[in-house]
Amino acid sequence: WTEPAGFVISASTPYLENRQEDEPGIWTHPNQAEHGWIAGTFPPYTVQPGDHFVADIGCVVGFLGCEVDFRLAYRPTADESQLLALGAWHETYDGSLQRVDVDLSGLAGQEIKLILAVAGLGPPDQNAAFWLVPQIRR
């Protein structure tokens, strides 16, 4: 699982650092460089009152040196030159997952593009991270 440019894999039954899951996830692995990173931009969507971005985050099983920062940001489609942060979370291979729950209600009515990013802090070949069931909930 080494790819110099990094990679993203959709996993239907991902192996997390503390279990195998039966729900889908996104395995992200930053580029193979010190402080590598990888990001994905999602299609535009209009935020509704009560919307939350929710996901569980952590490392992939067997990547004991995993140390990463997860970041959630967005670009308003009205001005895509802007990149606005919604949150950042630090994760290491510690046998536990972290729940991310970001209230998007303050953006209600705006059309945005969500951006999920992972930045590697550990050894480049160990920074295997996942977003488990990333979704918008109302």
Side-chain angles (χ1 to χ4, degrees):
W1 294 103
T2 59
E3 175 61 42
F7 62 85
V8 175
I9 296 173
S10 176
S12 58
T13 56
Y15 287 91
L16 316 180
E17 62 188 277
N18 62 355
R19 67 182 184 271
Q20 182 177 12
E21 187 56 64
D22 62 357
E23 295 186 279
I26 301 171
W27 175 356
T28 60
H29 200 114
N31 60 309
Q32 297 290 306
E34 187 172 343
H35 304 292
W37 62 276
I38 195 163
T41 302
F42 289 83
Y45 106 98
T46 302
V47 181
Q48 301 298 313
D51 281 2
H52 283 243
F53 172 84
V54 179
D56 289 334
I57 58 173
C59 296
V60 176
V61 70
F63 290 86
L64 305 179
C66 175
E67 182 177 1
V68 294
D69 281 341
F70 288 81
R71 297 179 184 143
L72 179 67
Y74 73 97
R75 290 188 189 282
T77 58
D79 180 3
E80 291 195 34
S81 67
Q82 293 186 65
L83 178 62
L84 303 163
L86 291 168
W89 305 268
H90 185 77
E91 270 295 308
T92 60
Y93 194 100
D94 61 3
S96 65
L97 310 180
Q98 184 175 171
R99 169 61 52 103
V100 169
D101 185 343
V102 178
D103 185 355
L104 302 174
S105 295
L107 302 173
Q110 292 186 50
E111 185 179 71
I112 65 170
K113 292 180 179 178
L114 282 176
I115 301 165
L116 278 62
V118 175
L121 302 171
D125 65 339
Q126 293 292 300
N127 291 324
F130 70 87
W131 301 80
L132 182 64
V133 194
Q135 61 188 289
I136 302 296
R137 288 189 187 165
R138 282 197 185 106

